[in-house]
């Protein structure tokens, strides 16, 4: 099976997964959702409030380290096999323009469309309309990662009341229309920063699209093309200079020059070379492999010092994310001191004032109870026991008074612990606060 067909299957699988994920829930929580409306982040069926996103830094570190590791090991496999830009271009260029409307040939991406023919102009407008419809579906699906489907389909029925969401969808759709139809692969070459950092991450063990000049011959000398078929035949050099690899390249490069930032690892050049060389009974001159494997014929190990370091770093990110996720609180409690540090009453008691914020992150009504763990030396002089509906929060004035004369206590800031629990369920949160004294 050619690399092109393999990529089409991968694209189809990725598209289905991306389209389906927003609709999958575990215990009424989504697999992946960042809700700005409800101020929640759902990950693998667990809902985190924005105030407890201590898991997010480790997930972001895993993402970036993972990109570096993936690039250093497998080159730009993301660009050719999973990047939305590449997938969208294949849908528009190979499916709509080439297969459906017959505007261009898939095997020759260098040849521009002949717009002198009126029929081709009409087909071009049809292709833009078809792609714009698809972009609306894509941008709507993208919105489902920020607005859950159960809310999205209600909001879409009242577009004027949710104008920001509609504007966002249209903006993404129009950007994709301009990007895919007019900017094309120039986005990969000139805009995307990933192509600029790839050369820093590559070494001779990195898997990449490699032209085997040991068999095919060096087509370029010092950047200048030096193709002379007779000399190649004399030197037993196998490249036929058919330029099939050049014609099919979507970023308009000649892979025989070697590694270039424009290469997106789509391997269409390898498929083209396989077709030509297959007729001669020979394997392709363009392979997906590292410099050491293809050109130097060395054995390449996955477990190099660099890769082991990447693997350890990725494992630590996942471990720390999992560890901190176990400390997820059933509801949120935040305590802030007022501007007045303390106050001494007429009977020589010390009083501290706090602002206690309680956020019910559950999906049911809860009644909260507040008490001190150290009830021998302190008491709560004032605090309400609020009843909060699902998703609601309340600010409470909390006043704590000392029971004993504390002038002989050496430290001025005494740590004490407050316990907030619920009456309906066995939920409890313990918070430390500082009690100030003269």
């Amino acid at each position: 099976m050619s690399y092109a067909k393999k990529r089409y299957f991968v694209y189809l699988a990725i598209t289905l997964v991306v389209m389906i994920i927003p609709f999958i829930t575990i215990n009424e929580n989504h697999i992946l959702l960042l809700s700005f409306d409800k101020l929640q982040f759902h990950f693998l069926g667990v809902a985190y409030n924005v105030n407890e996103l201590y898991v997010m830094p480790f997930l972001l570190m895993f993402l970036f380290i993972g990109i570096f590791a993936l690039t250093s090991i497998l080159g730009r496999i993301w660009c050719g096999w999973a990047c939305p830009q590449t997938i969208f271009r294949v849908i528009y260029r190979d499916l709509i323009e080439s297969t459906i409307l017959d505007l261009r040939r898939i095997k020759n991406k260098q040849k521009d469309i002949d717009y002198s023919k009126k029929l081709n102009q009409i087909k071009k407008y049809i292709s833009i309309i078809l792609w714009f419809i698809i972009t609306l579906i894509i941008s709507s699906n993208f919105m489902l990662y920020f607005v859950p489907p159960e809310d999205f389909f209600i909001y879409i029925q009242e577009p004027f009341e949710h104008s920001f969401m509609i504007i966002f969808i249209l903006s993404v759709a129009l950007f994709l229309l301009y990007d895919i139809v007019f900017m094309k692969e120039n986005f990969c070459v000139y805009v995307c920063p990933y192509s600029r950092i790839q050369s820093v991450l590559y070494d001779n063990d990195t898997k990449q699209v490699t032209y085997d000049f040991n068999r095919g011959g060096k087509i370029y000398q010092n950047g200048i093309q030096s193709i002379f078929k007779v000399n190649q035949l004399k030197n037993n050099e196998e490249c036929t200079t058919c330029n099939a690899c050049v014609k099919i390249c979507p970023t308009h490069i000649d892979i025989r020059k070697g590694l270039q930032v424009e290469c997106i690892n789509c391997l269409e050049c390898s498929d083209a070379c396989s077709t030509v060389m297959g007729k001669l009974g020979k394997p392709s001159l363009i392979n997906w492999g590292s410099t050491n494997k293809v050109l130097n014929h060395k054995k390449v190990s996955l477990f190099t010092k660099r890769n082991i370091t990447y693997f350890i770093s990725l494992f630590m990110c996942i471990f720390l994310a999992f560890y901190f996720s176990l400390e997820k609180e059933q509801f949120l409690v935040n305590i802030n001191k007022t501007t007045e540090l303390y106050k001494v009453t007429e009977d020589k008691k010390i009083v501290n004032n706090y602002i206690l914020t309680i956020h019910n992150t559950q999906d049911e009504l809860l009644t909260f109870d507040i008490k001190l763990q150290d009830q021998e030396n302190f008491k709560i002089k004032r605090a309400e026991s609020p009843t909060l509906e699902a998703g609601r929060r309340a600010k409470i004035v909390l006043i704590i008074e000392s029971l004993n004369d504390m002038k002989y206590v050496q430290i001025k800031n005494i740590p004490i612990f407050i316990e907030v629990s619920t009456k309906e369920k066995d939920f409890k949160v313990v918070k430390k606060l500082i009690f100030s004294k003269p």
Side-chain angles (χ1 to χ4, degrees):
M1 184 184 293
S2 66
Y3 285 117
K5 290 182 179 178
K6 291 178 182 178
R7 285 191 300 119
Y8 292 157
F9 282 117
V10 172
Y11 294 165
L12 179 60
I14 291 174
T15 301
L16 291 175
V17 169
V18 171
M19 296 291 286
I20 292 173
I21 279 180
F23 298 93
I24 301 176
T25 58
I26 300 175
N27 297 326
E28 299 183 354
N29 294 323
H30 291 266
I31 293 290
L32 184 62
L33 172 71
L34 180 59
S35 175
F36 293 104
D37 184 22
K38 297 180 180 179
L39 298 179
Q40 288 182 336
F41 174 63
H42 292 208
F43 184 68
L44 299 179
V46 180
Y48 297 92
N49 191 273
V50 291
N51 294 328
E52 54 177 354
L53 285 186
Y54 33 73
V55 179
M56 184 68 77
F58 301 107
L59 295 179
L60 290 175
M61 284 191 289
F62 179 85
L63 174 64
F64 284 103
I65 295 174
I67 290 174
F68 296 151
L70 191 69
T71 305
S72 63
I73 297 171
L74 297 176
R76 292 181 69 179
I77 187 174
W78 164 262
C79 295
W81 294 75
C83 178
Q85 169 78 14
T86 303
I87 296 175
F88 297 158
R89 275 296 293 167
V90 168
I91 293 173
Y92 179 73
R93 182 192 61 228
D94 294 357
L95 179 61
I96 297 178
E97 282 191 333
S98 302
T99 305
I100 297 177
L101 299 176
D102 196 25
L103 275 170
R104 65 167 77 238
R105 293 179 65 238
I106 293 179
K107 292 184 178 180
N108 192 347
K109 296 181 174 63
Q110 307 295 317
K111 188 176 180 180
D112 292 330
I113 300 171
D114 183 8
Y115 290 115
S116 62
K117 299 178 181 179
K118 188 150 186 161
L119 180 60
N120 284 352
Q121 294 179 10
I122 295 173
K123 286 182 177 180
K124 185 66 177 180
Y125 292 131
I126 294 173
S127 70
I128 293 175
I129 293 171
L130 289 175
W131 176 244
F132 183 66
I133 294 171
I134 294 174
T135 59
L136 288 175
I137 297 173
I138 294 170
S139 55
S140 297
N141 178 255
F142 181 60
M143 176 57 72
L144 294 180
Y145 285 87
F146 302 96
V147 178
E150 58 269 23
D151 295 334
F152 176 82
F153 293 110
I154 295 174
Y155 295 165
I156 205 74
Q157 297 174 23
E158 301 172 341
F160 294 105
E161 294 186 11
H162 301 90
S163 56
F164 179 79
M165 185 183 77
I166 302 299
I167 292 172
F168 181 84
I169 292 173
L170 290 175
S171 299
V172 173
L174 290 172
F175 169 76
L176 290 177
L177 179 68
Y178 172 75
D179 176 30
I180 302 303
V181 176
F182 301 103
M183 185 171 281
K184 306 175 186 178
E185 279 77 14
N186 290 326
F187 180 89
C188 305
V189 178
Y190 299 109
V191 179
C192 180
Y194 188 29
S195 63
R196 302 298 165 183
I197 66 171
Q198 64 159 335
S199 57
V200 179
L201 299 171
Y202 277 20
D203 62 14
N204 288 336
D205 290 331
T206 300
K207 197 171 184 179
Q208 55 188 286
V209 183
T210 306
Y211 167 69
D212 189 354
F213 59 79
N214 293 326
R215 289 175 49 212
K218 292 187 177 181
I219 308 302
Y220 290 86
Q221 298 290 344
N222 298 322
I224 301 174
Q225 190 170 0
S226 57
I227 299 177
F228 190 63
K229 193 171 183 179
V230 176
N231 287 341
Q232 289 180 349
L233 292 174
K234 286 182 179 180
N235 297 327
N236 294 321
E237 295 174 349
E238 300 177 20
C239 179
T240 63
T241 66
C242 64
N243 285 341
C245 58
V246 179
K247 293 176 183 177
I248 202 170
C249 179
T251 56
H252 300 193
I253 65 171
D254 189 343
I255 194 61
R256 296 171 298 181
K257 285 184 178 181
L259 177 65
Q260 297 156 74
V261 295
E262 294 89 350
C263 179
I264 60 172
N265 278 28
C266 66
L267 293 160
E268 297 211 30
C269 55
S270 180
D271 287 339
C273 190
S274 295
T275 302
V276 174
M277 297 304 292
K279 295 176 181 178
L280 301 176
K282 298 178 180 180
S284 174
L285 296 171
I286 303 172
N287 299 280
W288 193 23
S290 66
T291 301
N292 278 336
K293 183 177 181 180
V294 177
L295 301 179
N296 302 329
H297 304 291
K298 293 181 180 179
K299 186 177 180 181
V300 178
S301 174
L302 179 64
F303 298 99
T304 61
K305 292 181 180 179
R306 180 197 61 183
N307 294 346
I308 290 173
T309 303
Y310 278 130
F311 296 150
I312 293 174
S313 301
L314 292 171
F315 172 77
M316 289 300 299
C317 291
I318 291 296
F319 173 78
L320 291 172
F322 176 75
Y323 175 78
F324 283 103
S325 68
L326 296 178
E327 299 184 3
K328 183 182 183 302
E329 298 176 345
Q330 303 296 339
F331 57 91
L332 300 178
V333 177
N334 187 35
I335 302 175
N336 292 313
K337 224 170 182 314
T338 60
T339 53
E340 185 180 26
L341 288 179
Y342 60 86
K343 182 171 66 175
V344 180
T345 61
E346 294 180 356
D347 53 353
K348 306 301 181 182
K349 298 293 177 62
I350 303 170
V351 176
N352 278 214
N353 298 336
Y354 307 86
I355 300 296
L356 179 67
T357 304
I358 300 177
H359 185 187
N360 180 10
T361 57
Q362 300 296 311
D363 295 328
E364 58 183 295
L365 184 139
L366 293 177
T367 301
F368 297 88
D369 185 42
I370 305 167
K371 67 178 181 180
L372 290 172
Q373 289 188 344
D374 184 359
Q375 298 186 9
E376 295 182 1
N377 298 307
F378 304 94
K379 74 171 183 178
I380 296 178
K381 189 173 182 180
R382 176 185 171 185
E384 301 175 8
S385 295
T387 299
L388 299 177
E389 297 179 358
R392 308 293 289 183
R393 70 180 69 196
K395 286 188 176 182
I396 302 164
V397 177
L398 173 66
I399 301 177
I400 298 178
E401 182 181 77
S402 63
L403 295 176
N404 305 315
D405 187 357
M406 307 194 72
K407 65 181 180 179
Y408 298 106
V409 178
Q410 297 299 317
I411 57 176
K412 292 187 175 182
N413 297 315
I414 305 169
I416 58 177
F417 293 88
I418 187 169
E419 182 180 297
V420 182
S421 58
T422 59
K423 296 181 179 179
E424 290 79 5
K425 289 190 173 182
D426 188 22
F427 293 160
K428 181 173 66 174
V429 172
V430 176
K431 289 286 183 179
K432 184 176 78 171
L433 52 84
I434 300 299
F435 187 87
S436 300
K437 59 175 284 294

